[in-house]
Amino acid sequence: MRLISLAPLAVAVSKAGGIGFIGAGTDVHDLEAHLREAARLFTQAPVGANLSSTLPIGVGFINWGANLDVALCAIEKFKPAAVWFFAPHENRDLVQWTQLMREVTGGLTKVWIQVGSVRDGLEVANWCHPDVIVVQGSDAGGHGLERGAGIISLLPETADALDEAGFGHIPLVAAGGLVDGRGVAASLALGAEGVVMGTRFLASDEASIARGYQDAVLRAKDGGVSTVRTKVYDTLRGTIGWPERIGGRGIINQSFLDAKDGQVTEENKRAYAQALEQGDFGWAENGRLTAYAGTAVGLINKVRSAADIVNEVRKHVREIQSRRPRKISKL
């Protein structure tokens, strides 16, 4: 949700009872401005939070590219409730980020670290002792491990491994392929303390997203077939620096289809550049522009406010949890 989840969406989610994150990503030069805007939005319509201690949103960083010194200045000044780390070149790189974030906020800002494998979970738990571990399954949209398991097996295996290693006290939050109450209820049953939803909020009123991109999300069906994890979209966008083991999941488009065996030709690059000049039409049915989204994209069919999404999911989870167990078939 880099550059899509900015202050309006983050604040709306938090006001609805979740915790919204500003997707700062790799470029943090304007992070202070986004945090200032978030603080302004909260003072316009206060929520039940003490803004003198923490700003009730989080900030997400893509650590291979984010500038630590610049990030620290913004975090120290505004003290968001949480920071979220993802995609360092090496997991050990997060030790310094964790230590310094805790120092400049006096421990007020909680550290969330995203992982996509059991091994990564054990490493960050041992080296960083995060307050929360976000376990991202392979169904997730946007960037994640090119090789990984779905949340159904990854979450409980990670939980078991952490518990055995003495880190069972660290809360786990599930991510990847979760867009409605059914996915949330399933994640809670698997042992998650909460869930992250990214793709669902692409179709929210507050998302900073092109209409063409949003329309592509609403149009996509059968997400396991209509999306793909690849490096093609990064190559076309000129995004350089992602760790080799990470790729981006997006809706299959003409740019991907024209990239034979993942190889992007100069002709493909020129066509992509031309599509950028077409505005929303660049995401049309035969379009070429990147639309990152997860495999659950087919479950999304309407743009709604962030508050409505949060409230509907919460209501659906409660309904599922209150149902009587169905009679088990004798078959």
Side-chain angles (χ1 to χ4, degrees):
M1 298 291 282
R2 181 179 74 92
L3 304 181
I4 293 177
S5 179
L6 300 178
L9 178 53
V11 170
V13 170
S14 288
K15 285 181 178 179
I19 175 169
F21 279 78
I22 290 175
T26 55
D27 186 358
V28 296
H29 79 279
D30 56 355
L31 178 55
E32 279 201 29
H34 291 305
L35 288 168
R36 188 176 299 110
E37 173 65 6
R40 184 188 69 80
L41 291 172
F42 275 120
T43 56
Q44 283 184 341
V47 295
N50 182 3
L51 295 183
S52 65
S53 58
T54 61
L55 187 64
I57 60 169
V59 177
F61 297 99
I62 298 174
N63 295 84
W64 63 259
N67 184 296
L68 176 56
D69 292 333
V70 175
L72 284 171
C73 289
I75 298 303
E76 181 177 19
K77 183 173 182 179
F78 289 93
K79 294 181 177 57
V83 288
W84 177 327
F85 301 152
F86 169 57
H89 283 298
E90 302 289 343
N91 286 331
R92 284 189 183 275
D93 297 342
L94 298 181
V95 173
Q96 183 182 30
W97 277 80
T98 300
Q99 292 175 342
L100 292 179
M101 288 291 177
R102 285 172 169 162
E103 285 180 12
V104 300
T105 66
L108 291 175
T109 297
K110 303 306 179 185
V111 174
W112 294 33
I113 298 181
Q114 178 180 322
V115 302
S117 70
V118 177
R119 177 180 177 181
D120 285 344
L122 289 170
E123 286 186 353
V124 300
N126 185 48
W127 295 335
C128 303
H129 302 281
D131 299 290
V132 173
I133 292 178
V134 180
V135 182
Q136 184 198 53
S138 59
D139 289 309
H143 288 82
L145 294 184
E146 287 197 319
R147 294 177 58 193
I151 199 66
I152 293 294
S153 62
L154 180 60
L155 181 67
E157 186 178 357
T158 301
D160 289 349
L162 289 170
D163 189 52
E164 185 177 346
F167 299 110
H169 60 284
I170 301 177
L172 303 183
V173 172
L178 310 173
V179 298
D180 62 18
R182 292 170 294 184
V184 175
S187 297
L188 297 178
L190 291 168
E193 298 289 338
V195 304
V196 173
M197 293 193 298
T199 297
R200 180 62 188 91
F201 286 99
L202 294 174
S204 66
D205 294 325
E206 295 86 353
S208 178
I209 186 174
R211 180 58 185 269
Y213 185 167
Q214 203 168 62
D215 287 345
V217 169
L218 296 176
R219 192 169 55 241
K221 300 300 175 186
D222 202 1
V225 176
S226 62
T227 69
V228 63
R229 190 170 300 283
T230 177
K231 296 185 186 299
V232 167
Y233 299 135
D234 281 327
T235 302
L236 288 166
R237 288 155 55 92
T239 306
I240 301 172
W242 282 99
E244 183 61 28
R245 65 186 185 137
I246 289 179
R249 181 180 292 281
I251 298 171
I252 292 174
N253 60 16
Q254 196 60 47
S255 295
F256 175 79
L257 295 175
D258 287 350
K260 305 299 182 183
D261 299 320
Q263 299 301 309
V264 177
T265 64
E266 290 303 316
E267 181 181 355
N268 200 345
K269 290 180 180 179
R270 285 193 295 271
Y272 194 89
Q274 291 171 358
L276 286 171
E277 299 175 357
Q278 297 175 353
D280 290 331
F281 290 105
W283 285 280
E285 288 199 35
N286 296 316
R288 308 192 73 91
L289 297 186
T290 303
Y292 286 125
T295 62
V297 65
L299 294 170
I300 302 170
N301 51 39
K302 186 178 181 180
V303 176
R304 306 188 65 180
S305 71
D308 283 347
I309 293 170
V310 172
N311 291 331
E312 180 184 79
V313 169
R314 185 181 291 117
K315 178 182 178 182
H316 196 184
V317 171
R318 288 172 176 163
E319 289 175 351
I320 292 170
Q321 293 178 332
S322 66
R323 293 174 187 165
R324 293 181 179 180
R326 294 180 178 179
K327 183 178 180 181
I328 300 175
S329 172
K330 295 181 180 180
L331 296 177

